[in-house]
Amino acid sequence: MTEPGRQAVVRVEHLSKHFGAGSARVDALIDINMEVPSGQVVGLMGPSGSGKTTLLNCMACILEPSGGRLTLDGEAVYDDHWLKADLRRLRLDKIGFIFQYPNLLPFLDATDNVAVVLHLAGLGAAAAHKHAVELLDYLEVGHRKHAMPAQLSGGEAQRVAIARALANRPRIILADEPTAPLDSARARIVMDLLRRIAIDQSAAIIVVTHDEMILDRFDHIYRLRDGRLETDELSRAPAGVDH
Ligand SMILES: Nc1ncnc2c1ncn2[C@@H]1O[C@H](COP(=O)(O)OP(=O)(O)OP(=O)(O)O)[C@@H](O)[C@H]1O
Ligand SMILES: [Mg+2]
């Protein structure tokens, strides 16, 4: 839970989501409540089909909830219906999304994969390119800036994908199993980077994971089961980060 004076960057209240109707109805999310303050990296765990991706997609405004409230970076965005007309703009301004597999555009090199997002956000080509290289350096993958996606290792590709998700300095970063294709050493590097980003950018980061090896990297762990949060009280001491 958010400490007094510390702003919740993501606030979810009584959120529900069902798919289908009648006998085909699936209640994927039931009365979800959670708050993630800035600077925190929280884990979202639960068995397959428990609703993790559905919750992330609702928070990302990719999927319309069925009810409840969603507040992002202090702005109410959903209250039984969308409150914002331009959800694409909202996503571009506030949210970085990291997928399980990096989803890089195969015909663009590492730099252009990042620059394209900056371009979409309105930056000129030269400025977008320069900032993309800075982001790749920040993620310690700058030496691969000219590589095509097929030439990158899994860990390198994931770091390029993270650079792309960070391009607009989002306050909210949502990651769906970002470490799944990585070995445990690489997974820890990615998690430590996410923590640094949370602190440097005052961002709230939510990471879906099955990976028991990285649990010590989270400030809180939320567990979903059959669409319900089992607990939102299981807090952990902030992970020690050396930097
Ligand atoms: N578009 C959809 N239409 C119908 N049912 C859906 C849809 N998307 C998800 N579901 C159902 O909602 C429930 C939650 O799915 P979700 O993908 O959120 O699970 P998950 O926790 O991410 O699972 P996994 O760990 O396998 O990725 C499941 O029962 C799933 O079958
Ligand atoms: Mg999923």
Side-chain angles (χ1 to χ4, degrees):
M1 283 289 114
T2 311
E3 298 154 25
R6 213 167 174 201
Q7 194 209 357
V9 181
V10 177
R11 174 175 287 127
V12 173
E13 297 166 278
H14 305 295
L15 198 85
S16 65
K17 173 68 186 174
H18 63 260
F19 296 102
S23 60
R25 175 171 161 139
V26 175
D27 284 291
L29 296 173
I30 303 161
D31 195 23
I32 304 292
N33 292 283
M34 64 191 277
E35 283 187 3
V36 187
S38 68
Q40 283 209 350
V41 183
V42 306
L44 184 58
M45 301 192 78
S48 181
S50 59
K52 304 180 298 295
T53 297
T54 304
L55 180 53
L56 225 54
N57 285 340
C58 286
M59 288 173 174
C61 307
I62 291 169
L63 194 61
E64 181 165 5
S66 306
R69 273 191 300 279
L70 175 63
T71 309
L72 301 179
D73 195 15
E75 246 183 279
V77 300
Y78 181 87
D79 188 353
D80 285 325
H81 59 273
W82 292 120
L83 302 173
K84 301 279 163 191
D86 192 349
L87 292 174
R88 183 181 162 276
R89 184 79 244 168
L90 180 80
R91 284 195 291 270
L92 213 51
D93 288 345
K94 292 196 189 295
I95 299 163
F97 208 99
I98 302 165
F99 300 91
Q100 178 170 355
Y101 293 96
N103 275 321
L104 298 175
L105 296 169
F107 47 86
L108 296 180
D109 71 9
T111 308
D112 284 339
N113 260 284
V114 180
V116 75
V117 179
L118 293 159
H119 216 38
L120 277 176
L123 230 56
H129 194 272
K130 181 167 176 285
H131 187 42
V133 171
E134 285 165 4
L135 280 163
L136 293 175
D137 282 340
Y138 177 71
L139 288 161
E140 295 161 16
V141 74
H143 59 292
R144 303 294 279 138
K145 65 185 173 192
H146 296 307
M148 299 304 282
Q151 300 166 327
L152 298 170
S153 74
E156 288 169 348
Q158 193 56 292
R159 280 180 283 160
V160 174
I162 294 171
R164 185 180 56 183
L166 292 181
N168 298 328
R169 297 187 67 80
R171 293 291 311 280
I172 298 152
I173 296 164
L174 305 170
D176 201 350
E177 307 222 33
T179 63
L182 307 180
D183 63 43
S184 60
R186 299 263 163 235
R188 282 176 177 278
I189 290 171
V190 165
M191 288 307 300
D192 287 345
L193 280 167
L194 290 177
R195 173 162 299 283
R196 197 169 88 195
I197 290 157
I199 293 165
D200 288 356
Q201 293 191 192
S202 300
I205 304 190
I206 302 171
V207 180
V208 168
T209 187
H210 281 109
D211 188 353
E212 299 284 335
M213 301 290 286
I214 57 169
L215 292 193
D216 62 340
R217 293 306 205 249
F218 295 113
D219 296 305
H220 274 71
I221 312 270
Y222 290 92
R223 290 180 192 275
L224 273 170
R225 180 171 293 275
D226 297 333
R228 291 180 197 274
L229 271 188
E230 279 194 332
T231 171
D232 54 7
E233 298 299 330
L234 184 63
S235 75
R236 290 171 171 267
V241 197
D242 21 58
H243 58 115

